[in-house]
Amino acid sequence: MRTDTPQAVRLADYRPFPFAIETTRLVFELHPSQTRVKAELAVRRTGAKDEPLVLNGERLKLVSAAVDGQALSANQYVLDAEHLTIPDLPDQFVLTTEVEIDPSANKALMGLYMSGGRFCTQCEAEGFRTITYFPDRPDVLSRYSVRIEADRKFTHLLSNGNLIDSGALEDNRFFAEWEDPFPKPCYLFALVAGHLDVLVDRFITMSGREVALRVFVDPGQASRAAYALDSLKRAMKWDEDTFGREYDLDLFMIVAVRDFNFGAMENKGLNIFNSSLLLADPHTATDLDYERIEAVVAHEYFHNWTGNRITCRDWFQLCLKEGFTVFRDQSFSADQRGATVERIKGVRALRARQFAEDAGPLAHPVRPSSYMKIDNFYTATIYEKGSEIIRMLKTILGAEAFRKGSDLYFQRHDGQATTVEAFIACFAEASGRDLSDFFGWYEQAGTPAVTIETAYDEAAKALTLNFTQSTAPTPGQPDKKALPIPIAIGLLSETGEPLRETEVVLLDKDALTVRWENVPSRPILSALRGFSAPVNLSTDARPADRYVLFAADPDLFNRWEAGQTLARDLILARAAGTPDEVGEERYADALGRALVDDTAEPAFKALLLALPSEQDLALMSEPAEPAALHESRKTLRTRIAVHLGDLLRRLHGEMQSDAEFSASAEAAGRRALRNACANMLSADPSADNLSRLVGHYAVSGNMTDQIGALQAMVASGDAQREIALNNFHGVWRKEPLVLDKWFSVQAQDPSENALERVIALTKHQDFEPTNPNRLRALVSTFANFNPARFHDSRGAGYRFLADQILAVDSFNPMTAARLVEPLGNWRRYKPALGRLMREQLERVAAHPDLSKNVLELATKALG
Ligand code: TRP
Ligand code: ZN
């Protein structure tokens, strides 16, 4: 174990920085292994006289430092591994520093690094400190001007703001000068230099200004950026229409890079994207890729207001920008692609990732109060639950007051680094409501459990609803208080007719009783419509009631939810050794009826066909036995595939299209349904079904069809899959983004020897662990999406993951830390497995040169 216990950072310790950095001038002399960075900071004291200037700086070679042109001698400053400290400073001065850094050695992909032979940066959250000495905190806003000098072969030299000048230098070098008129924190700084192709367009804003749009990609790839560019223009328009937000610079740029720790980054005027979330054409990208590109392009663009114009006072306020921006991108996607289908997908992701996090040792509030490494807090809780909070705020206040609140926020805090309190205060003021209890959603971790019990009084024609809520303790928070939970409820008759329109009940105490008059017959409750709050709901509904909802609920989210709940209970019953064969047949029948409902969209039917995932099932059963859950889920799949075989084959045929590829939500929905049918049919590997899958693969004219067929073939376990996998590799071995899919399909192999396959793939010549996409495609996919094989009874899956964590941690701590989570929930698994998981966590935690990132998570997971 490390001896130097890293210190936690606490919200309660926040102090403003005692200096303002009014302007920041940066000069980069780019060189792959010896880049020079000169910084000139115009500094003004804002705090006490005796405060020294403490700048962050890590892995920098200090060449020189001067105050007002006077070089500092060694006794005038203190240098340690993480800071440059200068005491005895005047109230106003110019600090110049010069450092040398080595981008080519930077495999952590934070700060300035090289990807595919080009320079790029990632500064959020704390990467800027590896570029130059600076107060690396989001509340220090400064106006930047940047000069970049590089060899001619890096044809484009990009930074934030507007291009002011460029020209030739000696030795086949040239320069570019950039100026960003908007003060910004250093985490939004960006620089890119490389040989790039560019796709150009323009956008006319609501006030008639013209904005030049440029998307930069690898040479030869420009046509694959067209969908991203189109998404960008739609997002720009939507933000004007929906939130009144207009873009503010004359230029907006996006650059795609292959080596990137996350999805994308909202640097002012110069977004940088993981190429997997930018490049798409029908042959190489799936519909899911298109959908994510649209959402992430919008997300990063929306940050221009929620994150950049208004930023965070400190990193504890991360949800201020991320939760709100996710809410904005989800609302955009709902408008673009249909609210129901988007909501179902959103809730599925929320439950799989955020509910799991909230139920384990890494549970934390949406606004945490302490952290060791902020990189570890870019979590589903901050992002997804953060978005759910905003969604509830809108539900509680209504659309109009919500918009008034957001208008007030943009007007009042423009140009500031602010807090979640200040944000909520705008909504309280605009709506005239007291939101102090609502703030509990930010401070309390854990998923509330809500129960509803109903009693119908036949004689009085009245329904009594008894609500309760409770939240289980989470680490550091033993006692939980009641939160205001908006629960949207409607009533159906026993024959599926609407009895009462949706009404939102605000459950803001531990228990609440509501009585509804004029209910003409015994009603069926449709509660938590549209998933109106991020809670676990249980009601006294009988299976028969759920079948009514599954067939007829006008709220399509709840129609889907009823099917999921029925399927879940059947799988859990079988896993517990009490299978309900009659129930399983009944479920298959009902599913068959839902699939022939002409009023439902194909995309919705595809979602009906997806049974609850093994991870979701594990969360619902304690102690979890992944192997048993896998087997009983498989049994239900096979039963459906047999029972509905003719219908699934018919739909599979009908959804095939010879039309030219369209990326529209409607066309994607048909492909999704076809793939869902193929996937279900793979659970009944009859000769007829198998040849159908082979045919599906052979005729596929786009990546969605091709990967759908390949996935189904791998799931079937049939020998033909090896031929298809080899064929796929042969065709796509020069396309990194497609090769990622090849790795990830195999990582999800349900067969007995999947772990051996995955380990062998880590030795494959195309496996590049330094590339996060490739690493995640194989290792994370296996650990997160193949529970039956990851939870190998001898612990070999855990050992494999621990080996990978340690190997990756030696060069990329941020990405290594993201691999810890699958071992984290060891307490939820049956003791024989939990013990083996714990052993591997202990092995990781005991490693002598562990990063702070992995150490924090491994320690917390051990508890
Ligand atoms: N702010 C980015 C977003 O949500 C994500 C981000 C944070 C990030 N830190 C990062 C991306 C580090 C890459 C690397 O849009
Ligand atoms: Zn974001």
Side-chain angles (χ1 to χ4, degrees), residues 110 122 124 260-262 264-266 299-300 303 321-322 378 383 814:
M110 292 297 286
Q122 172 56 41
E124 188 179 4
F260 204 66
N261 277 339
F262 272 20
M265 179 63 210
E266 70 262 24
H299 178 99
E300 305 309 332
H303 268 314
K321 74 178 181 82
E322 295 304 347
Y378 287 78
Y383 277 66
M814 189 170 163

Side-chain angles (χ1 to χ4, degrees), residues 3 117 176 241 269 421 473 749-750 804 859:
T3 45
D241 295 345
E421 279 88 349
D749 177 6
Q804 292 295 319
T859 314

Side-chain angles (χ1 to χ4, degrees), residues 65-88:
V67 170
D68 290 329
Q70 296 283 75
L72 296 180
S73 56
N75 63 355
Q76 289 176 299
Y77 61 87
V78 181
L79 200 60
D80 66 31
E82 296 179 355
H83 310 94
L84 169 63
T85 305
I86 312 175
D88 303 324

Side-chain angles (χ1 to χ4, degrees), residues 146-215:
V146 177
R147 178 184 173 92
I148 309 170
E149 301 181 5
D151 190 286
R152 279 267 178 211
K153 72 177 186 208
F154 302 100
T155 54
H156 291 89
L157 307 180
L158 311 176
S159 191
N160 318 83
N162 301 311
L163 180 64
I164 300 302
D165 193 13
S166 68
L169 296 169
E170 288 174 1
D171 297 333
N172 204 36
R173 288 172 75 82
F174 76 131
F175 75 94
E177 291 269 353
W178 292 84
E179 241 172 57
D180 183 355
F182 293 94
K184 64 170 177 287
C186 66
Y187 82 86
L188 292 172
F189 167 80
L191 175 154
V192 172
H195 182 47
L196 300 157
D197 268 4
V198 56
L199 193 64
V200 180
D201 207 334
R202 59 183 200 141
F203 179 80
I204 309 291
T205 70
M206 61 203 269
S207 71
R209 281 191 313 103
E210 178 170 332
V211 180
L213 309 177
R214 304 211 176 114
V215 185

